[in-house]
Amino acid sequence: MSEITKTDPSKFLSDIIGNSVVVKLHNGIQYSGNLQSIDGFMNIVLDDGKELVGNEVGKNFGDVFIRGNNGT
C-alpha cells in the first residue's frame, strides 16, 4: 500500500501557475485556460479562457476572472 503525503495547498497552487486548468463553478459551467494567478480568497485569473458547456467549447473569452466564492 502506498503512503499518502500531505501537500501544502499554497505551494501546490503556486506550482501550477502557468499550467492548463479547468475550474468548475457552482452552476455547473466550467472554464478552461492557463492559470495566471490565484489569491488567498481563491480568486482565479485565466488567460486563453474558454467556457465549457458539457464537453463543448461555448465561448472563447481570452482573459477570465473568477471570483473565489463561485468555484466548487
Side-chain angles (χ1 to χ4, degrees):
M1 183 184 247
S2 64
E3 185 176 321
I4 297 174
T5 59
K6 294 183 180 181
T7 303
D8 175 27
S10 298
K11 178 168 176 11
F12 170 76
L13 292 170
S14 65
D15 287 347
I16 64 170
I17 289 178
N19 291 309
S20 180
V21 297
V22 175
V23 179
K24 184 175 180 180
L25 305 185
H26 291 296
N27 63 8
I29 295 175
Q30 297 180 15
Y31 290 89
S32 68
N34 299 316
L35 181 63
Q36 292 304 302
S37 69
I38 188 163
D39 65 16
F41 296 103
M42 299 302 288
N43 295 316
I44 299 168
V45 178
L46 305 176
D47 75 351
D48 194 28
K50 296 171 183 62
E51 178 185 62
L52 303 174
V53 181
N55 290 331
E56 302 288 322
V57 174
K59 297 178 184 174
N60 292 313
F61 287 104
D63 293 334
V64 175
F65 178 84
I66 300 170
R67 189 171 165 189
N69 65 348
N70 287 317
T72 59

